[in-house]
Amino acid sequence: MKNLWTPWRMKFVMTYKKPKHKCFFCYDLKDKPANDKTNLILFRGKQAFVLLNLYPYSNGHLMVAPLRHTADYPNLSKDELSELNVLVQKSVLILKKVYRPEGFNIGINLGKAAGAGVDSHLHVHIVPRWLGDINFMPVMAEIKVMPETLAETYKRLKPEFKKLKQ
């Protein structure tokens, strides 16, 4: 077996405390906005928010979720649905500007059977894609190679999200 060294993860391993709240979206939202960088929250709106995925498929993998704890997509209010979709649209534009991906996967997994890792709080995944971004590592070694740390991704994206109005 070969080692894949990821020394930047030690800070996370040593400092991460499992939330007592079952929903990490709600747990992070209850924290002070001053801690948004630690919680990877890029933008807080009136009805929805944007954050980095802690376990991304690719660099820039974002999630957009309503502020309200709900898994019920059909019963989102018009304001929630509108802001959720506007933030997906703006997130795509920001990712295009900052990372210049060649495509995107955008989707919602509603329920465990649909693959939702967190099935109690709906969220939209926005995954930037590049030709050739899938390689043999995930298939052969069950390892994803991420060329940029989450901290660096946050640093690159946050200035663009600051320009958005609430």
Side-chain angles (χ1 to χ4, degrees), residues 5-12 146 148-150:
W5 298 100
T6 57
W8 55 87
R9 297 232 348 117
M10 185 52 77
K11 181 179 178 187
F12 168 75
M146 302 301 291
E148 181 177 75
T149 65
L150 287 170

Side-chain angles (χ1 to χ4, degrees), residues 18-27 30 69 117-121:
K18 187 175 181 181
K20 292 178 184 172
H21 194 282
K22 290 181 181 180
C23 177
F24 75 87
F25 291 108
C26 294
Y27 180 83
K30 286 181 182 175
H69 181 82
V118 178
D119 63 346
S120 65
H121 197 135

Side-chain angles (χ1 to χ4, degrees), residues 4 10 13 19 31 35 46 62 77 92 112 124 139 141 149 161:
L4 179 63
M10 185 52 77
V13 171
D31 204 354
N35 292 330
K46 292 178 181 168
L62 303 179
S77 71
V92 167
K112 284 260 187 238
V124 180
V139 176
T149 65
F161 280 95

Side-chain angles (χ1 to χ4, degrees), residues 71-89:
D72 194 359
Y73 188 82
N75 286 321
L76 288 175
S77 71
K78 286 182 182 180
D79 289 340
E80 287 171 320
L81 190 59
S82 176
E83 188 170 42
L84 187 80
N85 285 304
V86 166
L87 286 175
V88 168
Q89 182 184 49

Side-chain angles (χ1 to χ4, degrees), residues 107-117 119 125:
I108 304 171
N109 301 322
L110 294 175
K112 284 260 187 238
D119 63 346
H125 289 269

Side-chain angles (χ1 to χ4, degrees), residues 50-66:
V50 180
L51 71 159
L52 285 172
N53 190 319
L54 185 59
Y55 303 104
Y57 293 126
S58 68
N59 287 108
H61 180 168
L62 303 179
M63 296 183 293
V64 181

